[in-house]
């Protein structure tokens, strides 16, 4: 049925010289095109062959261009990852001199497997301990008995630092990004929350009066 319809269309196009048959046949499904091939004139077949070769060449060129774009994007991403790793290594070296390299490593996005070659045995063990000790915001609020607003404020002004921000999957329908804290630091803060609230209350009162609290 489709073949008959296509042949009738071709016959109508032949009566109208402004409608090239080859262009019509070239866009037909391959099976239908094959079925009506014998009904084409020699010039129509040659024109069709030319169109199909041109289409194939365009697809080949497009595939090459797409591959080049993909390779360029991959190279750019690899360069960015290498630059990020280089910056991390520099930061790690600085932390060995002035701070806690293991905590710095634990706060990074790298897995313990990726960190193995960058850390000393002692640093690896400490980093593993930090990661094992991390807890999420909900647990922190339970331990401190605080609101999310209070926790955000204490985190923002440095009274209760976070360990890192990580992506969690499996617990929720989609992957989510969450802050983590060190349990030991949270537990040490339990006895300080009332003092923090008093400080916040004083600061709030000063702000209402247009004054500023200077921390010493």
């Amino acid at each position: 049925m489709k073949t008959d319809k296509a042949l009738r269309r071709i016959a109508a196009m032949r009566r109208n010289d402004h409608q090239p048959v080859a262009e019509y046949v070239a866009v037909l499904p391959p099976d239908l095109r094959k079925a009506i091939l014998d009904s084409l004139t020699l010039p129509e077949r040659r024109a069709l062959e030319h169109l199909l070769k041109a289409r194939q060449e365009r697809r080949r060129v497009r595939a090459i261009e797409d591959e080049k774009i993909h390779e360029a994007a991959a190279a750019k991403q690899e360069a960015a990852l290498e630059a990020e790793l280089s910056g991390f290594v520099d930061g790690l070296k600085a932390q060995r001199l002035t701070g806690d390299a293991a905590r710095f490593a634990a706060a990074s996005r790298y897995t313990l497997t990726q960190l193995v070659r960058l850390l000393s045995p002692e640093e690896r063990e400490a980093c593993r301990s930090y990661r094992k000790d991390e807890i999420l915001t909900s647990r922190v609020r339970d331990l401190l008995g605080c609101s999310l607003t209070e926790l955000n404020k204490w985190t923002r002004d440095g009274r209760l630092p976070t360990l890192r921000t990580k992506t969690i999957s499996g617990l929720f329908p989609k992957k989510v990004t969450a802050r983590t804290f060190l349990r030991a630091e949270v537990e040490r803060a339990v006895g300080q929350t009332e003092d923090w609230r008093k400080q916040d209350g004083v600061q709030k009162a000063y702000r209402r009066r247009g004054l500023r609290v200077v921390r010493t």
Side-chain angles (χ1 to χ4, degrees), residues 132-183:
K132 186 177 180 180
D133 194 41
E134 66 182 339
I135 56 178
L136 297 175
T137 298
S138 57
R139 183 57 181 152
V140 175
R141 291 178 59 194
D142 288 342
L143 290 173
L144 297 181
C146 68
S147 67
L148 181 59
T149 300
E150 288 178 319
L151 179 59
N152 288 340
K153 179 176 179 56
W154 298 338
T155 299
R156 191 166 52 248
D157 62 20
R159 281 179 280 183
L160 185 62
T162 60
L163 174 62
R164 61 173 174 156
T165 300
K166 71 174 184 176
T167 301
I168 302 174
S169 59
L171 298 178
F172 308 95
K174 296 181 179 180
K175 292 182 179 180
V176 297
T177 301
R179 297 175 297 177
T180 67
F181 298 76
L182 290 179
R183 177 185 290 274

Side-chain angles (χ1 to χ4, degrees), residues 75-152:
K76 184 177 180 180
Q77 182 180 19
E78 184 177 355
L81 292 175
E82 289 179 356
E84 182 182 359
L85 179 59
S86 178
F88 171 75
V89 171
D90 289 342
L92 190 62
K93 292 177 181 177
Q95 286 296 318
R96 287 191 176 113
L97 299 175
T98 62
D100 188 339
R103 183 187 175 116
F104 180 78
S108 73
R109 69 173 187 82
Y110 298 107
T111 65
L112 291 173
T113 301
Q114 293 171 320
L115 290 168
V116 165
R117 64 186 180 87
L118 302 174
L119 303 176
S120 68
E122 294 78 11
E123 289 170 344
R124 288 199 296 269
E125 186 60 33
C127 179
R128 186 177 292 106
S129 178
Y130 279 132
R131 290 278 178 92
K132 186 177 180 180
D133 194 41
E134 66 182 339
I135 56 178
L136 297 175
T137 298
S138 57
R139 183 57 181 152
V140 175
R141 291 178 59 194
D142 288 342
L143 290 173
L144 297 181
C146 68
S147 67
L148 181 59
T149 300
E150 288 178 319
L151 179 59
N152 288 340

Side-chain angles (χ1 to χ4, degrees), residues 10-48:
I10 290 172
M13 295 176 71
R14 284 170 177 160
R15 292 192 294 269
N16 186 344
D17 294 337
H18 297 293
Q19 296 181 345
V21 172
E23 291 184 7
Y24 167 69
V25 178
V27 298
L28 293 176
D31 292 344
L32 182 55
R33 186 192 311 143
K34 183 177 180 180
I36 65 176
L37 190 60
D38 291 339
S39 66
L40 300 181
T41 64
L42 183 59
E44 289 170 347
R45 288 189 185 186
R46 288 176 177 172
L48 175 62

Side-chain angles (χ1 to χ4, degrees), residues 26 46-60:
R46 288 176 177 172
L48 175 62
E49 183 179 354
H50 175 75
L51 288 173
L52 293 178
K53 285 183 178 180
R55 179 198 295 174
Q56 186 176 8
E57 178 63 16
R58 287 195 300 272
R59 288 176 176 173
R60 187 185 71 82

